[in-house]
């Protein structure tokens, strides 16, 4: 199979969508498939980089989150999509909408993924969960792109439920972003300095809620023995550094490559995640695969709490006192740590990148079959190219 991946930002950053696209592409190639990568900053095998898209007001805000929009380019599309079996879209922005338009005009099958939770946008804009605004964004995304795609990948059951609640009627497939097989424990990897090392991974952004993690560590009975590793980049780094200093906790901040992150997670006994909005959180799945015990915040709009296997791995995502109790329980019970680490590693096997990519390929085969049938029938879902062109132009301009 030959697949084109289209996503705005492929330049390499703390962007989880970037990581997912490159990991899937690498695994698909290992399995004998061809993948073209289309996006700003695309590099490597079969890469088709597009120009940067400048959007007044929006672009400066997005850049503070480490995100860049891609500019659609007809000539690049023609080269990247010339002989593909299907085009897979990662986001609901102009680059992907134009790619969908190109695909429909040229009768190429299309699938999509839902990787951008509206609350990621509302929190970073300073509005919090903003239920009404989030509902409007769900509707906007649906009408702009997703209602015109038959098969949609959902990285978690939580986001599948959210799409169903908001009237998405496409075929929704729960397929994780997956964990590369190299994320596994390493015997003798733990730190040997008499300290308890805890790790957390994620953009330093409001919805990731690292502030609660800092407070929880500060309230732990083991505060003075803990070293907290905060891994990620974002516009809250300065505030979080000041908070850690004021709380008097031993906290190390840094941005790590994939291999460096794996090595750190293998060395840490506990992993904490406190997001209040998260579609999947690859940091959680990677950490438990690497041998760390997860302590995960429970929140209505955050998916990773589904990975918790026991109550001691759960806390209210906005309750630092409950988090401190969980930290203390695990540190009081080292034998339990060993037993549960093995259970979490078994769970992680179901999230292997190979397993997830195989499910993805099954979805792609269905999407190809359904779209080719629809193209042949010329039914109401796929209007004539000129009509579809006008339809999207009204929404893009």
């Amino acid at each position: 199979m030959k697949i084109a991946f289209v996503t705005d930002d492929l330049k390499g950053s703390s962007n989880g969508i970037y990581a997912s696209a490159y990991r899937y592409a690498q695994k698909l190639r290992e399995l004998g498939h061809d993948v073209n990568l289309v996006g700003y900053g695309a590099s490597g095998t079969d890469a088709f980089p597009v120009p940067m898209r400048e959007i007044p007001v929006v672009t400066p805000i997005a850049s503070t989150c480490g995100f860049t929009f891609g500019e659609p380019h007809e000539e690049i599309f023609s080269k990247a999509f010339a002989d593909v079996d299907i085009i897979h879209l990662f986001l609901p922005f102009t680059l992907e909408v134009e790619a969908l338009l190109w695909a429909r005009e040229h009768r190429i099958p299309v699938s999509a993924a839902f990787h951008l939770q509206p609350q990621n946008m509302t929190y970073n804009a300073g509005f919090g969960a903003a239920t009404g605004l989030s509902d409007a964004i769900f509707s906007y995304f649906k009408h702009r792109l997703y209602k015109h795609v038959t098969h949609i990948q959902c990285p978690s059951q939580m986001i599948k439920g959210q799409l169903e609640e908001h009237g998405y009627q496409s075929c929704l497939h729960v397929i994780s972003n997956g964990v590369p097989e190299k994320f596994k424990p390493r015997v003798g990897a733990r730190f040997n300095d008499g300290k308890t090392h805890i790790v957390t991974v994620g953009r330093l952004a409001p919805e990731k809620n690292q502030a609660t993690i800092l407070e929880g560590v500060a309230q732990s009975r083991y505060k003075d023995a803990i070293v907290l590793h905060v891994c990620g980049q974002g516009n809250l780094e300065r505030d979080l550094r000041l908070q850690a200093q004021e709380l008097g906790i031993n906290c190390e901040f840094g941005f790590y490559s994939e291999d460096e992150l794996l090595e750190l997670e293998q060395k840490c006994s506990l992993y904490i995640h406190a997001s209040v909005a998260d579609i999947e959180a690859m940091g959680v799945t990677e950490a438990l695969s690497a041998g760390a015990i997860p302590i995960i915040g429970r929140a209505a709009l955050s998916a990773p709490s589904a990975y918790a296997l026991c109550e001691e791995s759960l806390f209210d995502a906005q309750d630092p006192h409950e988090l401190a109790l969980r930290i203390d329980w695990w540190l009081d019970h080292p034998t339990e740590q060993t037993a549960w680490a093995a259970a979490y590693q078994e769970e992680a096997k179901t999230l292997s990148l190979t397993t997830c990519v195989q499910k993805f390929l099954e979805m792609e085969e269905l999407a190809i079959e359904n779209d080719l049938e629809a193209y042949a029938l010329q039914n109401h879902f796929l209007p004539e190219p000129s009509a579809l062109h006008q339809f999207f132009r009204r929404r893009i301009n």
Side-chain angles (χ1 to χ4, degrees):
M1 188 183 299
K2 186 163 187 176
I3 308 169
F5 281 178
V6 182
T7 185
D8 282 75
D9 192 341
L10 286 170
K11 67 180 180 297
S13 65
S14 55
N15 176 358
I17 301 172
Y18 154 85
S20 178
Y22 271 106
R23 285 176 177 179
Y24 261 55
Q26 181 180 1
K27 179 57 65 174
L28 285 164
R29 288 165 180 156
E30 289 174 6
L31 295 173
H33 303 278
D34 295 321
V35 183
N36 290 348
L37 294 169
V38 182
Y40 175 76
S43 61
T45 306
D46 296 325
F48 295 84
V50 300
M52 179 190 299
R53 179 174 174 79
E54 295 282 354
I55 308 172
V57 181
V58 175
T59 293
I61 296 173
S63 66
T64 65
C65 302
F67 183 83
T68 304
F69 292 96
E71 180 71 38
H73 194 286
E74 180 72 22
E75 184 178 344
I76 294 172
F77 282 178
S78 296
K79 292 178 181 178
F81 304 152
D83 55 352
V84 300
D85 297 301
I86 189 167
I87 298 170
H88 183 65
L89 312 172
F90 281 72
L91 290 166
F93 298 137
T94 298
L95 178 68
E96 290 81 3
V97 171
E98 288 277 10
L100 172 61
L101 174 60
W102 193 100
R104 294 308 188 209
E105 289 181 336
H106 293 82
R107 299 302 191 252
I108 303 295
V110 181
S111 63
F114 199 96
H115 285 293
L116 180 62
Q117 197 171 1
Q119 289 81 9
N120 292 139
M121 302 173 71
T122 60
Y123 270 97
N124 281 280
F127 300 132
T131 302
L133 179 56
S134 294
D135 289 345
I137 295 172
F138 269 117
S139 179
Y140 177 69
F141 286 173
K142 178 178 67 177
H143 289 286
R144 190 160 200 240
L145 186 137
Y146 290 106
K147 69 182 290 186
H148 306 288
V149 180
T150 53
H151 292 269
I152 301 173
Q153 176 190 0
C154 303
S156 66
Q157 186 64 44
M158 182 277 295
I159 199 62
K160 178 177 184 284
Q162 286 281 298
L163 297 188
E164 290 171 339
E165 287 180 19
H166 288 87
Y168 285 61
Q169 297 180 348
S170 303
C171 297
L172 305 176
H173 304 256
V174 178
I175 305 172
S176 167
N177 287 303
V179 182
E181 283 73 8
K182 67 181 179 181
F183 277 83
K184 56 187 176 183
R186 182 165 57 86
V187 176
R190 299 293 194 219
F191 285 97
N192 189 27
D193 57 3
K195 297 288 186 178
T196 295
H197 290 261
I198 301 175
V199 61
T200 183
V201 180
R203 275 186 307 106
L204 307 183
E207 76 277 15
K208 301 302 182 183
N209 194 29
Q210 286 95 351
T212 293
I213 297 176
L214 300 185
E215 290 282 355
V217 169
Q219 293 181 32
S220 168
R221 287 188 286 106
Y222 292 91
K223 169 188 173 182
D224 293 336
I226 291 173
V227 178
L228 178 64
H229 300 267
V230 180
C231 307
Q233 295 175 318
N235 52 14
L236 288 187
E237 181 172 346
R238 180 176 176 276
D239 292 343
L240 292 170
R241 284 182 178 274
L242 287 173
Q243 181 186 3
Q245 185 177 359
E246 291 170 358
L247 292 171
I249 61 177
N250 189 348
C251 191
E252 297 184 1
F253 290 82
F255 180 74
Y256 296 77
S257 69
E258 183 175 281
D259 288 338
E260 291 169 339
L261 188 60
L262 169 58
E263 183 179 357
L264 177 61
E265 289 172 340
Q266 290 170 329
K267 290 181 176 181
C268 293
S269 56
L270 299 177
Y271 174 92
I272 303 176
H273 200 82
S275 284
V276 293
D278 230 323
I279 281 183
E280 183 182 25
M282 288 188 288
V284 176
T285 57
E286 291 169 358
L288 62 90
S289 299
I293 294 286
I295 306 177
I296 309 169
R298 186 193 290 109
L301 298 173
S302 189
S305 60
Y307 297 123
L309 297 178
C310 59
E311 279 299 311
E312 287 74 23
S313 280
L314 285 171
F315 70 101
D316 183 322
Q318 294 181 305
D319 186 343
H321 176 66
E322 187 178 8
L323 171 57
L325 293 177
R326 297 300 188 231
I327 294 170
D328 293 349
W329 189 89
W330 285 109
L331 298 185
D332 286 339
H333 297 83
T335 303
E336 296 287 344
Q337 277 193 50
T338 302
W340 280 107
Y344 276 113
Q345 287 152 35
E346 282 300 309
E347 181 186 35
K349 292 178 182 178
T350 67
L351 303 170
S352 76
L353 185 58
T354 299
T355 299
C356 295
V357 166
Q358 292 289 2
K359 292 179 180 178
F360 174 78
L361 284 168
E362 292 172 8
M363 182 189 80
E364 296 297 82
E365 289 172 359
L366 287 172
I368 291 170
E369 180 182 351
N370 293 165
D371 273 8
L372 290 179
E373 289 175 355
Y375 288 140
L377 292 172
Q378 289 289 297
N379 68 4
H380 67 282
F381 175 70
L382 298 171
E384 287 298 318
S386 58
L388 192 70
H389 191 276
Q390 293 172 9
F391 176 84
F392 279 114
R393 280 287 176 267
R394 288 198 297 271
R395 283 155 177 75
I396 294 170
N397 297 327

